[in-house]
Amino acid sequence: MKFRNMLLLAAGVAAASGTFAQQAQPKPETLIKWRQSAYQVLAWNGARIKANVEGQYNKDEVVRAANSTAAIANSGLGALFAPGTEQGKGWHDTTVKPELFKDPKKVGELAGNFVREANELAKVAATGDQAAVKAQFGNLGKTCKACHDEFKNKD
Amino acid sequence: MKFRNMLLLAAGVAAASGTFAQQAQPKPETLIKWRQSAYQVLAWNGARIKANVEGQYNKDEVVRAANSTAAIANSGLGALFAPGTEQGKGWHDTTVKPELFKDPKKVGELAGNFVREANELAKVAATGDQAAVKAQFGNLGKTCKACHDEFKNKD
């Protein structure tokens, strides 16, 4: 399953999404807006989890945030990096480096790490163990940073 | 579980989120940006599901999109409508009507309908039955429209 996700993500980045083949393919600007939005939802969930592991812990909220994170990680974000979206403006100019579109193997590896740790966080969140969630949240954060360092320009 | 979600959502709208109590509460503009982003991710997932039920059907993609939709529906979006976010600019000026902040009972009812139908869509998507997904996607869309008609200004 993990390897399959990695493949799906890599394939999504390497090739155009076939989903919209029968219909008008969304404009590159729309895809960029959607991907910028997806990462903002991840940021929201991350902020909530951070607040919980550093302060008063609400298991239900952490579960919701972790499940949402995992579902987005598993949602096939690669399709939002379709050819044609190398440059352009969604909510703002894309901050993706051109290298992302040229190295599907590396992207697949980093994306696979992200998916794996996000799914693990959802499992750990279900236990309600604050310390374990804090540790796993750290592991997830490392996979975010690794990809940003490689493929994201500074805002 | 459904009623509990409804209560959580209603509570999230009626009262400020307590999550960030120990830390700096995110700025209203940040909360507005996050909620606008969350609805864009729902729009992305909706567009994918629509393309699938109207064209060539890819069960895996529909499952991913439906699971992401359900996870966001269950994620506690009400917290993004905290007091102080009645007006303001996230990615753009908020399109939420002032009435949303004054009628938690109605909001809870409409939000509960949305959560229920999103969770049902995730279940139906898992069956891979294109016609059933199309029908349930229609049921979900009605709950989106009901809330937009009541509480969302035109863009």
Side-chain angles (χ1 to χ4, degrees), chain A residues 19 23 48 61 64 74-75, chain B residues 19 48 61 64 74-75:
Chain A
T19 308
Q23 300 201 331
R48 292 196 289 172
E61 181 170 37
R64 292 197 299 274
N74 289 308
S75 71
Chain B
T19 308
R48 293 196 288 172
E61 182 171 38
R64 291 198 298 276
N74 289 308
S75 71

Side-chain angles (χ1 to χ4, degrees), chain A residues 34-44 72 77 81 114 147-148, chain B residues 34 41:
Chain A
W34 285 340
R35 77 189 181 208
Q36 291 172 344
S37 296
Y39 288 101
Q40 283 296 321
V41 177
L42 294 173
W44 170 44
I72 291 173
L77 292 176
F81 295 83
F114 168 62
C147 199
H148 292 179
Chain B
W34 285 340
V41 177

Side-chain angles (χ1 to χ4, degrees), chain B residues 5 10 16-18 23 38 40 75-76 88 92 104-105 114-115 122 137 140 147:
Chain B
N5 276 324
S17 163
Q23 300 201 331
Q40 283 296 320
S75 71
H92 54 75
K105 188 178 169 191
F114 168 62
V115 169
F137 183 62
L140 177 61
C147 199

Side-chain angles (χ1 to χ4, degrees), chain B residues 39-109:
Chain B
Y39 288 100
Q40 283 296 320
V41 177
L42 294 174
W44 170 44
N45 288 321
R48 293 196 288 172
I49 296 169
K50 184 172 188 289
N52 272 281
V53 296
E54 294 181 353
Q56 191 176 333
Y57 195 79
N58 179 324
K59 180 186 171 184
D60 283 346
E61 182 171 38
V62 173
V63 166
R64 291 198 298 276
N67 286 346
S68 174
T69 298
I72 291 172
N74 289 308
S75 71
L77 293 175
L80 299 178
F81 295 83
T85 66
E86 295 85 349
Q87 295 184 313
K89 186 173 181 172
W91 295 116
H92 54 75
D93 286 334
T94 185
T95 55
V96 178
K97 290 183 185 174
E99 287 74 15
L100 179 136
F101 299 91
K102 299 170 187 164
D103 196 349
K105 188 178 169 191
K106 184 72 180 173
V107 171
E109 178 193 330

